[in-house]
C-alpha cells in the first residue's frame, strides 16, 4: 500500500499527521502542497479533498481529510492497541473531547495570534485583535492545567493523539513574543514534549 500525506510541513494540521506517523514509524511519502506550494485547487486534489485545505491522507484509492479524523483513522487502522487512541470507551471519549476542543476552541484564537505575530509584518498588525486573541487563547490553554496536574499527558500518563492536536500549537504559544498568563503545568508538559525526538525534529522548529 502506498501512503501519501499531502500538505506542506509548516501547517499545524499537517504536523499532527507527520508527528503521529513518525511516532508509529509507519512508512509514508509527503507531497508539498498548500500555502506557497499551491496545487490544492487542481481537480485531482479537490476530488480527494473538496475543502482545498491540507492535510489530505491518501492510501491507494482511499483518501480522507480533517487532521484529527485522519489521526483517529491511522490509530484505528494501523496502530493496534497503542496508547495513542486506546480501544477503551472512556479513554477514547476523553481523547475525543480534547480533539474537538482543539478544533472548536483553541484553533481560532491561536490562528489570530500566530498569523498576527508570525505571518504579518509588525507595522500591519492589529494590536487590539492580537491582544484579544492572546487573552482568548490563554484562557483556553488554562483548561489543561488541571488534567496536567494529575498526569504527564493530556488524557493520561502516555502520549495520545490529544497531545498531538494541542502539542503542535504549544510550541508556537511558547515561542511567540506575547504576554502569556502563567501556566506551570502547561510549561512542564511542553518541556516534556521537547524531550521527544520526533517532536524536536518535526514540530519544535522555527516559526514560519
Ligand atoms: N479542520 C481542518 C483545517 C485544515 C486547514 O485549515 N489547513 C490549513 C493549514 S493549517 C490550510 O490548508 N491552509 C491553506 C493552505 O495551506 O493552502 C483540519 O484540521 O485538517
Amino acid at each position: 500500500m502506498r501512503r501519501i500525506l499531502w500538505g506542506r510541513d509548516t501547517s499545524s494540521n499537517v504536523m499532527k499527521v507527520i508527528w503521529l506517523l513518525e511516532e508509529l514509524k509507519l512508512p509514508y511519502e509527503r507531497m508539498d502542497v498548500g500555502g506557497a506550494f499551491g496545487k490544492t485547487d487542481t481537480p485531482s486534489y479537490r476530488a480527494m479533498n473538496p475543502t482545498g485545505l491540507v492535510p489530505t491522507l491518501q492510501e491507494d484509492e482511499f483518501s480522507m481529510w480533517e487532521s484529527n479524523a485522519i489521526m483517529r483513522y491511522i490509530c484505528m487502522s494501523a496502530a493496534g492497541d497503542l496508547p495513542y487512541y486506546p480501544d477503551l470507551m472512556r479513554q477514547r471519549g476523553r481523547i475525543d473531547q480534547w480533539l474537538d476542543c482543539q478544533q472548536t476552541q483553541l484553533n481560532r484564537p491561536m490562528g489570530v495570534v500566530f498569523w498576527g505575530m508570525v505571518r504579518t509584518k509588525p507595522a500591519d498588525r492589529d494590536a487590539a485583535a492580537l491582544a484579544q486573541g492572546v487573552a482568548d487563547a490563554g484562557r483556553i490553554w488554562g483548561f489543561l492545567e488541571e488534567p496536567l496536574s494529575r498526569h504527564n499527558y493530556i488524557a493520561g500518563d502516555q502520549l495520545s493523539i490529544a497531545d498531538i492536536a494541542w502539542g503542535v500549537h504549544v510550541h508556537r504559544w511558547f515561542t511567540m513574543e506575547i504576554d502569556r498568563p502563567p501556566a506551570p503545568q502547561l510549561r512542564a508538559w511542553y518541556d516534556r514534549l521537547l524531550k521527544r525526538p520526533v517532536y524536536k525534529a518535526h514540530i519544535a522548529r522555527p516559526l514560519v
Side-chain angles (χ1 to χ4, degrees):
M1 189 247 297
R2 187 176 179 203
R3 181 183 289 116
I4 304 174
L5 173 60
W6 294 86
R8 59 189 168 87
D9 64 2
T10 50
S11 143
S12 59
N13 290 308
V14 174
M15 283 182 192
K16 294 174 185 174
V17 186
I18 294 175
W19 184 355
L20 180 63
L21 290 169
E22 294 284 337
E23 291 279 354
L24 293 171
K25 300 190 171 56
L26 291 173
Y28 68 101
E29 297 158 58
R30 193 180 56 74
M31 302 289 184
D32 270 326
V33 297
F37 296 99
K39 300 185 208 145
T40 48
D41 53 2
T42 62
S44 60
Y45 190 81
R46 293 288 166 130
M48 291 192 295
N49 184 343
T51 70
L53 299 172
V54 293
T56 299
L57 179 75
Q58 185 183 9
E59 290 180 350
D60 296 333
E61 74 293 344
F62 172 76
S63 59
M64 66 176 293
W65 41 278
E66 277 298 336
S67 58
N68 289 356
I70 292 172
M71 288 200 293
R72 279 194 291 265
Y73 164 75
I74 291 170
C75 287
M76 292 187 293
S77 66
D81 194 18
L82 290 168
Y84 304 98
Y85 193 55
D87 193 7
L88 297 166
M89 285 299 173
R90 290 186 177 175
Q91 193 61 10
R92 279 203 173 167
R94 183 68 71 219
I95 292 168
D96 280 337
Q97 164 204 296
W98 288 113
L99 289 175
D100 285 4
C101 185
Q102 180 271 314
Q103 286 280 9
T104 59
Q105 303 215 41
L106 183 72
N107 213 44
R108 197 190 50 78
M110 278 303 289
V112 170
V113 179
F114 181 73
W115 273 85
M117 293 301 294
V118 177
R119 294 188 182 158
T120 308
K121 288 192 228 110
D124 297 336
R125 286 178 191 156
D126 177 341
L130 259 174
Q132 189 61 54
V134 172
D136 292 345
R139 183 180 64 81
I140 292 155
W141 283 116
F143 299 162
L144 292 181
E145 286 300 290
E146 191 275 332
L148 289 174
S149 73
R150 287 185 287 111
H151 28 70
N152 276 347
Y153 291 97
I154 291 177
D157 274 320
Q158 311 229 42
L159 186 91
S160 77
I161 54 176
D163 298 283
I164 295 181
W166 289 69
V168 294
H169 293 284
V170 81
H171 172 66
R172 294 175 168 185
W173 183 241
F174 279 110
T175 304
M176 293 183 292
E177 282 183 32
I178 48 173
D179 202 7
R180 289 172 291 275
Q185 301 295 342
L186 188 72
R187 179 70 223 194
W189 171 70
Y190 173 50
D191 289 339
R192 230 169 273 134
L193 295 180
L194 285 171
K195 294 202 184 98
R196 304 183 72 95
V198 172
Y199 191 82
K200 255 190 104 135
H202 296 276
I203 313 300
R205 297 170 39 193
L207 304 189
V208 285

